[in-house]
Amino acid sequence: MASASAGSAAGSSLRRSRPRYGEAVIKGLLLAAALVSVATTVGIVASLLPPALRFFGEVGFGEFFGGTEWTPLFKPPSYGVLPLITATLTTTALAISVAVPIGLAAATYLSEYATPRTRKVLKPVLEVLAGIPTVVYGFFALTFFTPLLRDLWPGSGEGPEIFNGLSAGLIMGVMIVPTVASLSEDAMSAVPQSLRQGAYALGSTRRLVSIRVVLPAALSGIVAAIVLAISRAVGETMIVAIAAGLKPEFTLNPLQAMQTMTGYIAAAGEGDLPVASFDYTTIFAVGLLLFVLTFAMNFLSIRLVRKYREVYE
Amino acid sequence: MTTTSSRLSTSQGVPVTGRPGGAGPVQPTVVNDAVEGPFDLVDTVFEVADVSVFYGDYEAVRNVDMKIGKRRITAMIGPSGCGKSTLLRCFNRMNDLIPGTRLGGKITFHGEDLYGDHVDPIEVRRRIGMVFQKPNPFPKSIYDNIAYGPRVNGVKRGLDDLVEEALVGAALWDEVKDKLKQNALALSGGQQQRLCIARTIAVKPEVILMDEPCSALDPIATAKIEDLMQNLTRDYTIVIVTHNMQQAARVSHRTAFFTADVDREGVRHGRLVEYDETSKLFTTPSDERTEAYITGRFG
Ligand SMILES: Nc1ncnc2c1ncn2[C@@H]1O[C@H](COP(=O)(O)OP(=O)(O)O)[C@@H](O)[C@H]1O
Ligand SMILES: [Mg+2]
């Protein structure tokens, strides 16, 4: 109707024939979706801060970060957070030492070596593995992997305790393998075929193409995968709560029982601490520390990726 | 662990050939006159005997016979889809990378079966380099792009000299000598393509295959690459696929004209129609299909 007069009614023919409210609505909805995550983050900080500030009003940073005993419920209490940090460090390091090499190897296999048919079968399997609830991994660590470790422990030493960081960390690594593999594979598959061809034409083997061309070109995606893996390991709760124990120990010895930051939050949160009590604020202090650590790590990784990635095109 | 005497089996170090490009008297630019004698007197690098190439069941190239002469530029022309790239990729076994590809007939390289049991495709590609249609520098520095080939072939010392030599040989040195650490992707398209040529000659191959190396470039960049090819024939054998007849006429000694035949089931197969001295093929073609193509009546 409007277009029928387009030729004759010069001047007005290029105007919008009817308003497009739909566009504005869609744009608004999408913006709202984006804002949800921002709002959640702000909300988390806002709810962590007041109790955490109350905690730090009574306990100085020196005691918190310098003390080697975490016994907030004892009389007299001790608020040194280092045991929780060493436990998180130990289990995370173990998990990463499993997840990154195996995940990268799996990704390299899928992206560079597997036939399209193998890839089509394996990749969904991997992604299903990523969906197993972590509580299952936790019991697997406690009831299967720890006894196995204790049975097979070589030499005369004690071997791992019933609850220990080793078993929890390693199984946590297994849990994270699919995440690292899947994300890294995406990054590697996105590297243009023309780069591989160029490398093959110079007499590269498949191994050299993978290591010297594909991996560096996919580096930003791979680093992102590793950072996500670290974040998951630091934040993982069920596996460590079940298999690593509930005893805050200032140690890096993975054979001992240990309590991570998340482990403490879970245990204390489930306990019967009165909500208004001072003890209750310890949860928020540890929670805030966890939040800051993860945030700093993500920030750092973004900087690293910007600096080292190879941009194709 | 190679027990065979085959020269194309697993490599041992990099043989040092003459300095590519570089100093020396400038060759005459009218290359067609540079052919010193009848083709039979030129050393044969490749001999293609009754070669067919299959992608799965599809026969993309059918029954090709041709010889490629040493230190000559051989051009392959013809309408698109007639199998030029397919045949070119057979010369350095790049087709091996495409699952389901199969070769019938025989291609020899200095008399040795290129597809023989003991032949290592990695070694083949080191001796027979390739430059692609779209420049494909690695997303690394200019220096690392050139050094890539020597490095993967185990060269550790003298890389600086190798890099300079290759860039001089590809007529790129003066433009990039002050920014070797800069990312190669910051170069212009023409410079990127010369970088890819430099990267190829840094491995010191004997043959350079080029698949429409100028089709993504402007006329000035194209002219530079064509000049460069002239200089490279002092040390290298070049096989170039081009859809640009003028380019074939300008640069090559011999030209092969391909076309696609349609068989009874309506399937297209690439065929070699005519292969001759470039001057002869473009002035007095012996096949009427060649004549139709070069006079622009078809394709
Ligand atoms: N990887 C491939 N798989 C299957 N068919 C292919 C493949 N590459 C090329 N072909 C087919 O082979 C024929 C020749 O292609 P190509 O060698 O690229 O021709 P040209 O380089 O002369 O344009 C075309 O019909 C093309 O569709
Ligand atoms: Mg082609």
Side-chain angles (χ1 to χ4, degrees):
Chain A
M1 343 156 269
S3 58
S5 63
S8 52
S12 67
S13 61
L14 290 177
R15 283 227 215 106
R16 186 188 286 176
S17 53
R18 61 200 144 89
R20 299 197 191 95
Y21 299 116
E23 284 296 322
V25 171
I26 300 244
K27 191 174 154 197
L29 283 176
L30 296 177
L31 177 66
L35 285 180
V36 165
S37 60
V38 178
T40 313
T41 313
V42 173
I44 289 173
V45 176
S47 66
L48 280 176
L49 268 182
L53 287 178
R54 190 179 150 210
F55 174 86
F56 286 116
E58 310 243 338
V59 179
F61 278 143
E63 180 180 356
F64 189 65
F65 288 111
T68 57
E69 273 192 47
W70 181 257
T71 51
L73 305 183
F74 289 12
K75 300 270 176 287
S78 175
Y79 296 108
V81 80
L82 282 177
L84 302 186
I85 291 181
T86 55
T88 295
L89 272 182
T90 308
T91 52
T92 299
L94 284 166
I96 293 307
S97 68
V98 170
V100 169
I102 298 183
L104 280 185
T108 308
Y109 173 76
L110 283 175
S111 161
E112 305 302 310
Y113 286 83
T115 61
R117 245 176 68 204
T118 319
R119 177 167 42 232
K120 233 169 98 189
V121 176
L122 277 186
K123 199 153 189 227
V125 170
L126 210 62
E127 273 152 9
V128 165
L129 272 182
I132 297 179
T134 58
V135 66
V136 175
Y137 284 102
F139 277 102
F140 178 74
L142 180 66
T143 62
F144 176 79
F145 194 60
T146 299
L148 188 73
L149 276 179
R150 285 158 62 89
D151 284 348
L152 298 180
W153 198 254
S156 54
E158 283 283 290
E161 299 172 7
I162 297 278
F163 293 103
N164 65 79
L166 182 63
S167 178
L170 295 181
I171 294 302
M172 192 153 82
V174 173
M175 173 202 86
I176 299 170
V177 164
T179 307
V180 176
S182 185
L183 288 177
S184 304
E185 202 266 337
D186 289 343
M188 292 168 74
S189 302
V191 173
Q193 202 58 29
S194 64
L195 293 186
R196 292 186 185 84
Q197 283 185 349
Y200 279 120
L202 294 167
S204 308
T205 58
R206 202 172 276 261
R207 179 177 59 89
L208 288 168
V209 172
S210 310
I211 294 174
R212 300 223 184 178
V213 175
V214 179
L215 278 177
L219 191 67
S220 65
I222 291 171
V223 171
I226 294 175
V227 169
L228 184 65
I230 299 178
S231 296
R232 285 198 65 184
V234 168
E236 169 51 34
T237 309
M238 280 323 281
I239 297 177
V240 287
I242 294 170
L246 299 169
K247 205 163 61 161
E249 286 282 2
F250 180 54
T251 177
L252 292 171
N253 178 359
L255 303 182
Q256 293 185 18
M258 47 179 65
Q259 188 173 44
T260 63
M261 291 187 270
T262 52
Y264 173 74
I265 294 174
E270 274 168 31
D272 42 14
L273 291 177
V275 170
S277 71
F278 177 74
D279 292 341
Y280 198 68
T281 64
T282 58
I283 297 176
F284 293 88
V286 176
L288 186 65
L289 177 61
L290 203 54
F291 182 86
V292 169
L293 279 181
T294 327
F295 193 82
M297 212 164 51
N298 284 341
F299 185 75
L300 189 76
S301 77
I302 291 171
R303 299 288 297 265
L304 278 180
V305 167
R306 288 231 176 97
K307 187 150 178 220
Y308 289 111
R309 74 172 160 177
E310 289 186 345
V311 186
Y312 38 85
E313 231 93 50
Chain B
M1 241 229 20
T2 88
T3 49
T4 159
S5 61
S6 165
R7 287 164 301 141
L8 287 172
S9 336
T10 322
S11 69
Q12 257 100 38
V14 180
V16 179
T17 59
R19 181 185 165 89
V26 178
Q27 291 258 312
T29 41
V30 187
V31 290
N32 295 337
D33 295 345
V35 179
E36 283 131 20
F39 185 69
D40 295 343
L41 299 183
V42 174
D43 283 347
T44 301
V45 176
F46 291 107
E47 183 159 358
V48 178
D50 198 24
V51 161
S52 302
V53 190
F54 298 83
Y55 292 112
D57 293 333
Y58 171 56
E59 190 175 8
V61 173
R62 185 173 263 185
N63 308 112
V64 172
D65 289 280
M66 67 192 288
K67 284 181 184 175
I68 306 258
K70 189 170 172 132
R71 301 215 175 110
R72 288 288 171 274
I73 300 181
T74 305
M76 310 209 301
I77 62 169
S80 103
C82 65
K84 305 179 298 290
S85 301
T86 300
L87 185 62
L88 191 74
R89 285 196 298 264
C90 292
F91 288 130
N92 69 341
R93 298 193 54 169
M94 284 298 278
N95 275 336
D96 292 20
L97 303 171
I98 304 170
T101 312
R102 199 159 49 77
L103 184 109
K106 188 169 177 179
I107 301 181
T108 57
F109 178 60
H110 294 297
E112 183 177 357
D113 184 359
L114 205 52
Y115 287 78
D117 286 343
H118 297 291
V119 173
D120 175 13
I122 304 297
E123 181 61 17
V124 168
R125 293 182 202 124
R126 216 181 56 60
R127 300 269 297 274
I128 306 164
M130 189 165 207
V131 175
F132 300 83
Q133 186 163 358
K134 196 166 155 270
N136 59 350
F138 302 126
K140 303 176 189 290
S141 71
I142 293 170
Y143 185 97
D144 286 341
N145 262 276
I146 310 295
Y148 177 91
R151 278 179 181 144
V152 303
N153 289 295
V155 178
K156 294 203 174 65
R157 264 181 281 169
L159 274 176
D160 289 359
D161 291 341
L162 264 176
V163 168
E164 176 172 350
E165 199 177 296
L167 285 168
V168 169
L172 190 60
W173 175 249
D174 290 334
E175 289 158 66
V176 301
K177 61 173 182 253
D178 301 322
K179 47 182 184 182
L180 293 177
K181 295 286 167 224
Q182 188 183 310
N183 196 302
L185 291 171
L187 298 173
S188 73
Q191 289 174 323
Q192 287 188 14
Q193 195 63 300
R194 276 179 285 145
L195 181 83
C196 291
I197 293 174
R199 185 174 75 178
T200 303
I201 62 185
V203 185
K204 307 200 167 164
E206 186 186 329
V207 181
I208 304 176
L209 308 173
M210 300 185 171
D211 193 349
E212 303 197 17
C214 302
S215 65
L217 306 182
D218 63 60
I220 293 173
T222 300
K224 280 190 185 158
I225 302 246
E226 288 181 4
D227 281 351
L228 172 59
M229 287 168 61
Q230 301 299 323
N231 288 334
L232 289 174
T233 50
R234 235 171 297 157
D235 298 289
Y236 301 98
T237 301
I238 295 177
V239 185
I240 176 175
V241 167
T242 174
H243 62 224
N244 179 335
M245 277 183 286
Q246 285 74 29
Q247 181 168 62
R250 276 194 302 266
V251 302
S252 73
H253 302 94
R254 291 179 72 87
T255 300
F257 170 63
F258 291 80
T259 187
D261 280 355
V262 181
D263 68 12
R264 264 173 269 120
E265 282 102 53
V267 183
R268 293 157 53 88
H269 305 283
R271 302 293 290 259
L272 174 60
V273 174
E274 186 168 355
Y275 181 42
D276 215 327
E277 301 288 333
T278 298
S279 50
K280 169 141 190 317
L281 189 128
F282 279 98
T283 51
T284 50
S286 51
D287 194 293
E288 57 188 21
R289 287 170 295 176
T290 315
E291 187 172 0
Y293 186 73
I294 61 176
T295 54
R297 273 188 278 128
F298 126 88

